[in-house]
Amino acid sequence: NRQNTVCSPIVNCLLHNTSYEVYQEVGCLSTDGLTRRADIIVIDHQKDLDIVLDPTIHFKINEQQPLEVCREKQNVYEPCCDHLGKQYNIQTWKIIGLMFGARGTIPRNTLEILKNLKVSDKAIIAIVSSILKSSLSIITHHLYSLYFHIISIIIFSFCLFKLFCMN
């Protein structure tokens, strides 16, 4: 799955930091009763920093989009903080939406967050590579699908032509 190709390299790097507790795909309940699944939870005992990380891949359309994605993720996960607080005995959570561009771009603020969490350059390159591979696969699928639709229309049109014009 495309999301896992972003999450896995991040989680693997975070697990190398001994001050972090890292959890992936954590189920949580919002105050309005909705069930959510936090992609990555990082608990840093040394810095007293507890983070919900939610990476997402979007086709980047403007410079404000990474901030909009972060706000969107905060709106989704802030109502889950009470539940997460009880689950991990932590009261304050920082919610961070990490945006990655569908064309392999990484916005500056996402890159800064990854660097602050000590995610390696190798992992970042792996993320970009997997996003590009996935995007190319999607494009290829759409092109082949379009190609087969066009061929089907041509064959259908030819059959109609033969049926009505040959009689």
Side-chain angles (χ1 to χ4, degrees):
N1 148 334
R2 192 173 195 196
Q3 187 75 7
N4 289 340
T5 63
V6 173
C7 291
S8 293
I10 294 172
V11 168
N12 290 337
C13 279
L14 295 174
L15 287 171
H16 283 59
N17 189 327
T18 56
S19 69
Y20 293 161
E21 276 182 55
V22 182
Y23 302 95
Q24 197 171 4
E25 298 282 323
V26 176
C28 52
L29 192 63
S30 70
T31 51
D32 54 4
L34 295 173
T35 302
R36 302 287 186 191
R37 187 167 302 281
D39 287 334
I40 304 169
I41 288 185
V42 182
I43 299 171
D44 185 343
H45 296 289
Q46 289 180 349
K47 294 182 182 175
D48 196 29
L49 185 62
D50 309 303
I51 306 169
V52 175
L53 286 176
D54 194 359
T56 189
I57 302 168
H58 280 287
F59 187 82
K60 189 175 177 190
I61 53 175
N62 64 52
E63 292 300 316
Q64 297 306 312
Q65 194 174 5
L67 297 174
E68 292 165 5
V69 165
C70 195
R71 275 191 295 261
E72 174 188 311
K73 299 301 181 176
Q74 288 168 346
N75 290 337
V76 168
Y77 290 106
E78 279 176 357
C80 298
C81 288
D82 287 343
H83 182 261
L84 289 171
K86 291 173 188 166
Q87 194 171 349
Y88 294 98
N89 197 26
I90 293 168
Q91 302 311 316
T92 308
W93 292 91
K94 184 173 185 177
I95 296 148
I96 302 174
L98 297 174
M99 186 186 133
F100 294 86
R103 294 174 285 186
T105 58
I106 300 179
R108 184 173 296 131
N109 64 329
T110 297
L111 196 55
E112 287 172 7
I113 291 163
L114 293 174
K115 292 292 185 181
N116 287 338
L117 291 170
K118 307 226 180 335
V119 174
S120 70
D121 289 340
K122 185 178 178 179
I124 292 169
I125 291 168
I127 291 167
V128 169
S129 175
S130 68
I131 290 171
L132 286 171
K133 244 190 266 187
S134 175
S135 292
L136 288 172
S137 176
I138 290 168
I139 290 167
T140 301
H141 173 74
H142 286 299
L143 288 176
Y144 278 119
S145 180
L146 177 64
Y147 171 78
F148 286 117
H149 285 302
I150 292 170
I151 295 298
S152 298
I153 291 168
I154 291 170
I155 291 171
F156 180 73
S157 299
F158 179 73
C159 290
L160 284 177
F161 174 78
K162 277 187 89 171
L163 182 68
F164 289 109
C165 295
M166 297 299 188
N167 287 336

